[in-house]
Amino acid sequence: MEYINNELHFGPEKKNLSSLVANYVRPIYVYDLSFIKSRFKQMAEALAGVRLYFAVKANPNPQVLQCLKSLGAGADVVSLGEIKRALESGFAPEDIVYSGVGKTKHEITEALKLGVLQINVESLQELQRIGEIAEKMGKKAHVALRLNPDVSIQTHPYIATGLRDNKFGMELSMIPDLSACLKKYAQSLELVGVSLHLGSQMMEFSGYQEALVKLKESYQSLKKDFPTLRRFDFGGGLGVVYEKQDLALESRLLAEYAGITKGILSDLNCELQSEPGRWLVAHAGVLLTQVQYVKKTSAKTFVIVDSGMNHLIRPSLYEAEHQILPLVKSGKMTTCDVVGPICESSDFFVKDYSLDQVQEGDFLAVTDSGAYGYSMASTYNLQELPLEICI
Ligand code: LLP
């Protein structure tokens, strides 16, 4: 993001965002594919030798997916809907890792019919279900056990997943029962991997390191019983800086994360997999919205725009901070809340925020919204979904 002659320009190609609102009808997510490419290349270099499966939930836009597929990514999916989107966007079944705690019988059957690369299993009951379905179909399901190491990371509690009071993964004490189930269904289940995902927006890695060490031991002991075990999926979760863009800090964190991962896992001599979402796409997206009213009360100035928690729920749900920038700078600052049209007081982007003075008809950019933006959007209040364009 950069102002050139007071106009906001976006991405490595320095696109003037004002040029995209000439025929504005409703809020628009803009994704810069060249930015996604450079992020993917940077991560692929840092994690050389690791296959990256993009977490589709972060941004299922077909052009974004096609772009990542063309760079060599696989897809990490959590529903039949995401499987279909990945296939439509050019991924092959063998590019797909299927995670998620609630897979239905129908979803498992379809995934097995298609022949996805790997199913990451989240409970003993699910393992049993997959074993039974695959047996009936005369198939062999390739499964990885998502283990929950009971380790905490510093993040918002809603996006932490690696503690024993989270619904995700299976406690290490379950391994004997899981092994028994794998043996019972030896004809229809093949153990191919161990998987882990501790949570999202991770900026510090002591918990991650502890978890890798624990799971490495589990991998080694399972390998003795199951020689087919050959993959270690260390999940996603690497965080980005939202408050103020700091790509240098993110590069240092990436290097640290990659160093820890390779340092602990490389002597397993197995296939390494990762499921990054946010890190690849967050900065590559911006949400453009138009000011409808500037409303002054005795307490506050509200800048009311035509997008809100219905299009980007992160500020309301996780108190996430996205910078808001005017497409054209006025040069005079004011303090305001930028809020949406939705009938909820939690419908805000920022509060008590220092923003250039704006007026009805002006446009604002909600930055760093390429991850978990459109994918979490709803039609609440029967507002239309935003548009999406790729540049
Ligand atoms: N793998 C699994 C199994 C996951 O559950 C997730 C994210 C990822 C990979 C990708 O994580 P990432 O690299 O994007 O952190 N809506 C929240 C984030 C929810 C993350 C859910 N799982 C947000 O807007 O912050």
Side-chain angles (χ1 to χ4, degrees):
M1 288 289 172
E2 185 184 340
Y3 282 98
I4 304 174
N5 299 329
N6 288 332
E7 294 198 298
L8 190 61
H9 289 65
F10 174 50
E13 316 265 297
K14 299 198 197 317
K15 180 81 180 169
N16 185 347
L17 288 172
S18 296
S19 68
L20 300 175
V21 292
N23 301 310
Y24 184 85
V25 276
R26 60 178 194 269
I28 313 168
Y29 273 101
V30 181
Y31 310 123
D32 185 320
L33 298 180
S34 64
F35 209 160
I36 296 178
K37 279 183 195 158
S38 73
R39 294 290 273 190
F40 184 87
K41 283 184 183 150
Q42 194 186 347
M43 186 175 256
E45 261 170 45
L47 288 169
V50 177
R51 177 103 203 260
L52 303 179
Y53 295 81
F54 174 61
V56 171
K57 63 175 88 62
N59 190 327
N61 176 281
Q63 279 173 273
V64 167
L65 295 182
Q66 281 157 19
C67 166
L68 286 161
K69 162 71 189 158
S70 73
L71 298 167
D76 164 60
V77 303
V78 290
S79 68
L80 184 56
E82 287 190 353
I83 292 179
K84 287 182 178 162
R85 178 64 62 86
L87 294 173
E88 283 157 16
S89 307
F91 290 91
E94 333 49 280
D95 294 324
I96 295 177
V97 169
Y98 182 19
S99 313
V101 287
K103 302 177 194 81
T104 64
K105 288 181 182 167
H106 174 64
E107 287 181 309
I108 292 168
T109 307
E110 292 302 305
L112 290 173
K113 260 191 225 161
L114 288 163
V116 299
L117 179 81
Q118 172 180 314
I119 303 180
N120 288 356
V121 178
E122 303 250 8
S123 64
L124 177 59
Q125 293 77 0
E126 184 192 332
L127 187 65
Q128 170 118 12
R129 182 180 273 191
I130 298 170
E132 281 167 11
I133 295 175
E135 192 170 58
K136 275 195 208 126
M137 293 171 75
K139 297 242 178 204
K140 193 155 220 178
H142 287 188
V143 294
L145 303 178
R146 176 166 176 186
L147 297 172
N148 180 330
D150 190 24
V151 157
S152 131
I153 58 164
Q154 290 170 17
T155 190
H156 191 281
Y158 290 2
I159 53 177
T161 56
L163 282 161
R164 69 178 159 179
D165 57 0
N166 298 132
K167 68 181 173 182
F168 298 98
M170 299 171 285
E171 291 180 77
L172 305 188
S173 59
M174 291 290 296
I175 289 178
D177 291 343
L178 295 165
S179 299
C181 183
L182 285 163
K183 285 181 183 153
K184 180 173 169 203
Y185 290 98
Q187 291 307 311
S188 59
L189 293 177
E190 178 170 318
L191 180 65
V192 297
V194 156
S195 97
L196 162 79
H197 177 71
L198 292 182
S200 198
Q201 190 51 11
M202 209 171 29
M203 305 293 274
E204 186 279 327
F205 309 115
S206 53
Y208 174 67
Q209 190 160 5
E210 187 188 334
L212 285 186
V213 170
K214 279 192 182 179
L215 256 66
K216 181 182 184 177
E217 278 172 28
S218 307
Y219 180 96
Q220 286 164 326
S221 73
L222 277 163
K223 177 86 180 165
K224 290 183 195 136
D225 273 355
F226 300 95
T228 53
L229 187 59
R230 55 187 179 272
R231 297 185 193 132
F232 194 115
D233 175 350
F234 56 87
L238 184 59
V240 302
V241 183
Y242 280 102
E243 300 77 25
K244 193 170 186 299
Q245 205 166 74
D246 190 343
L247 298 181
L249 171 61
E250 288 179 11
S251 297
R252 288 200 296 280
L253 290 175
L254 171 65
E256 192 188 338
Y257 173 76
I260 290 170
T261 309
K262 287 198 247 168
I264 297 173
L265 299 183
S266 49
D267 65 354
L268 284 181
N269 292 319
C270 66
E271 292 170 41
L272 296 178
Q273 300 170 313
S274 178
E275 303 164 356
R278 185 193 314 270
W279 201 91
L280 296 175
V281 291
H283 295 319
V286 62
L287 173 61
L288 304 182
T289 179
Q290 188 178 39
V291 175
Q292 301 302 311
Y293 302 98
V294 179
K295 175 173 173 177
K296 295 188 179 171
T297 70
S298 58
K300 295 230 176 197
T301 297
F302 293 101
V303 171
I304 303 175
V305 296
D306 59 352
S307 181
M309 65 190 296
N310 49 326
H311 295 166
L312 180 70
I313 202 173
R314 304 194 68 259
S316 312
L317 194 56
Y318 316 114
E319 294 164 329
E321 293 176 37
H322 289 254
Q323 263 190 293
I324 311 266
L325 299 170
L327 292 206
V328 182
K329 257 191 189 176
S330 70
K332 288 183 229 131
M333 302 306 281
T334 185
T335 299
C336 60
D337 288 10
V338 178
V339 301
I342 298 300
C343 299
E344 302 253 357
S345 292
S346 58
D347 180 29
F348 61 87
F349 284 131
V350 285
K351 288 187 170 177
D352 300 319
Y353 190 75
S354 177
L355 184 74
D356 275 66
Q357 278 181 19
V358 287
Q359 56 186 21
E360 178 187 336
D362 288 348
F363 290 95
L364 298 177
V366 186
T367 63
D368 302 321
S369 38
Y372 306 108
Y374 190 95
S375 62
M376 296 181 80
S378 75
T379 55
Y380 185 38
N381 284 192
L382 294 187
Q383 293 276 1
E384 282 193 87
L385 288 170
L387 300 169
E388 292 179 291
I389 54 175
C390 291
I391 54 172

